[in-house]
Amino acid sequence: MRKLLIGAALAAALGTSAAPAAAAVKVGLMLPYSGTYAALGEAIENGFRLYLQEQGGTLAGQDIEFFKVDDESDPSKASENANRLIRRDQVDVLVGTVHSGVALALAKAAKESDTTLIIPNAGADALTGSLCSEQVFRTSFTNWQPGFAMGAVAADKGYKKAVTITWNYAAGKEATDGFKDGFERKGGKVVKHLSLPFPKVEFQPLLTEIAALEPDAVFTFFAGGGAVKFVQDYAASGLGKTIPLLGSGFLTDGTLKAQGEAAQGLLTTLHYADGLDTPRDNAFRAHYAQAYGGAQPDVYAVQGYDAAQLLAAGLAAAQGDAGRKDVLRQAMRDATIDSPRGAFKLSKAGNPVQDIYLREVRGDRNQVVGVASKALADPARGCRL
Ligand code: PHB
């Protein structure tokens, strides 16, 4: 750095310009670093940085320069936050975010400015459905995917009548719709859909309603801090003893320490699990623990790690030049990602085609107990790519 400054000063004195240092690729991280999803944002960034570290700190020979915005999982601030990264910081690539509502605005800004966007969590179906675009990629899931897989599991268990409960925004609505789709295709019936505004946690009146409805099972989408509270409240209400609680796996991912006894035995479906015991996942987990003081990775860390892998594939094809957008994007669309969850490719619409695992909470683990749905592709309704 010092050498560079001296060089620049000398060049200025001579009236010439210094040869620019190799330009870094600018990556804008738009993630929640506060609020109910704060831990999720942190895990995504940790995963992304871990892959970079494993590559010796560069991708395709390029330094990576990070720009960060805390999006607070607040859709009303999403456009402004996205434009900070796009216009002020002039990032080459956006990585974000967790909350579906925020991601919808982020994708719009990415499209309008022709900026490549990698979504490392938010599952809004439309992002790789009716709103799909050449700029947008996802290394996570659609909200439909784990919900649909659990619907089939529940029907196969012989449950006939289910209630769904969630936050009233895209992720909750679509996850429970996915469950309904999978459950009703196999003869089950969702008799009631209950919801409350995001990120509220006053579950009591809704739990009373569930008790009165006496379903065979309850399916839910909650995540982060809200998931901790819901699982605790469900157990405390006594419902857990008679009505099995099922969830998309976010219900118990990254939350088990806080949920403790209340989560034991819960069944969930997700594209990652503990105990996969593959060489790829074992190596990832060992590196993660080493890099982050013994912490165990969760699904969010995996999605962040894979976002970095996806970008690396694009940059390698573009020989490190993020300005070659067509080459970068084509390579990203064609890439096989060697993910800790198991290798996957993206659909034409840009969403992972992936196995959805069935997991059971045992101690502090979401132990894999099977594959609920093999190579599940989102239907990508309305995508015309
Ligand atoms: C979403 O808003 O899409 C979302 C948020 C948190 C999760 C999963 C999905 O854990």
Side-chain angles (χ1 to χ4, degrees):
M1 187 57 168
R2 195 174 153 73
K3 219 163 154 192
L4 198 77
L5 289 177
I6 293 168
L10 192 67
L14 294 173
T16 60
S17 56
V25 174
K26 294 175 160 193
V27 172
L29 299 177
M30 181 158 144
L31 293 167
Y33 294 105
S34 59
T36 198
Y37 289 160
L40 288 56
E42 193 189 332
I44 288 168
E45 181 175 344
N46 284 350
F48 194 100
R49 287 186 185 272
L50 180 66
Y51 183 74
L52 184 59
Q53 185 189 314
E54 287 176 359
Q55 303 310 302
T58 60
L59 299 181
Q62 301 298 302
D63 288 332
I64 302 294
E65 190 179 357
F66 288 103
F67 297 82
K68 287 171 56 165
V69 165
D70 175 7
D71 68 35
E72 304 168 48
S73 295
D74 185 346
S76 74
K77 298 182 185 161
S79 301
E80 196 187 326
N81 282 330
N83 279 316
R84 278 201 188 129
L85 294 168
I86 295 168
R87 305 211 185 286
R88 183 191 66 191
D89 302 329
Q90 309 238 308
V91 299
D92 298 302
V93 177
L94 288 161
V95 176
T97 185
V98 167
H99 183 286
S100 275
V102 178
L104 287 163
L106 177 58
K108 185 161 180 279
K111 267 190 251 181
E112 283 168 4
S113 60
D114 194 23
T115 309
T116 302
L117 167 64
I118 304 176
I119 302 164
N121 184 71
D125 294 345
L127 292 166
T128 54
S130 58
L131 301 176
C132 73
S133 77
E134 64 190 65
Q135 291 86 1
V136 175
F137 300 80
R138 175 151 55 191
T139 57
S140 50
F141 59 93
T142 62
N143 292 318
W144 176 90
Q145 280 177 313
F148 179 79
M150 184 50 101
V153 169
D156 288 346
K157 282 189 171 299
Y159 303 142
K160 299 278 181 254
K161 182 175 141 183
V163 169
T164 55
I165 175 168
T166 188
W167 280 313
N168 188 10
Y169 83 104
K173 171 108 191 40
E174 293 169 359
T176 51
D177 279 353
F179 174 82
K180 183 176 160 79
D181 189 0
F183 191 53
E184 297 196 344
R185 269 191 217 195
K186 290 195 151 197
K189 179 87 193 132
V190 173
V191 294
K192 184 93 188 180
H193 175 69
L194 301 169
S195 67
L196 74 172
F198 174 86
K200 289 210 180 310
V201 292
E202 286 74 34
F203 302 121
Q204 218 48 58
L206 301 176
L207 294 175
T208 305
E209 209 172 331
I210 291 173
L213 288 162
E214 295 184 342
D216 301 326
V218 170
F219 174 81
T220 189
F221 166 87
F222 289 109
V228 171
K229 174 90 169 21
F230 183 75
V231 165
Q232 286 170 339
D233 285 7
Y234 196 86
S237 73
L239 284 174
K241 292 203 183 69
T242 49
I243 308 173
L245 177 63
L246 311 170
S248 50
F250 311 107
L251 187 68
T252 55
D253 235 77
T255 54
L256 287 177
K257 234 187 230 138
Q259 287 163 334
E261 199 46 43
Q264 294 308 304
L266 291 184
L267 288 180
T268 62
T269 41
L270 203 63
H271 47 287
Y272 189 57
D274 295 318
L276 293 179
D277 200 21
T278 59
R280 181 69 180 98
D281 190 45
N282 290 344
F284 164 73
R285 294 176 81 97
H287 290 173
Y288 193 92
Q290 199 177 16
Y292 300 112
Q296 285 302 306
D298 55 22
V299 68
Y300 308 105
V302 171
Q303 294 168 168
Y305 185 83
D306 291 343
Q309 294 207 71
L310 184 63
L311 176 58
L315 284 174
Q319 289 163 324
D321 182 355
R324 295 173 67 194
K325 292 180 189 177
D326 289 350
V327 179
L328 179 104
R329 289 172 187 166
Q330 193 57 52
M332 284 169 61
R333 234 161 259 281
D334 293 343
T336 298
I337 300 300
D338 187 16
S339 173
R341 76 187 84 169
F344 71 85
K345 287 177 79 77
L346 299 181
S347 66
K348 242 181 161 175
N351 189 66
V353 177
Q354 57 194 343
D355 293 350
I356 306 293
Y357 300 104
L358 179 63
R359 309 114 45 92
E360 181 180 333
V361 177
R362 295 184 192 153
D364 61 355
R365 294 161 70 83
N366 284 292
Q367 180 64 34
V368 62
V369 293
V371 175
S373 193
K374 186 93 196 128
L376 184 63
D378 181 87
R381 293 183 189 104
C383 176
R384 276 188 214 94
L385 275 181

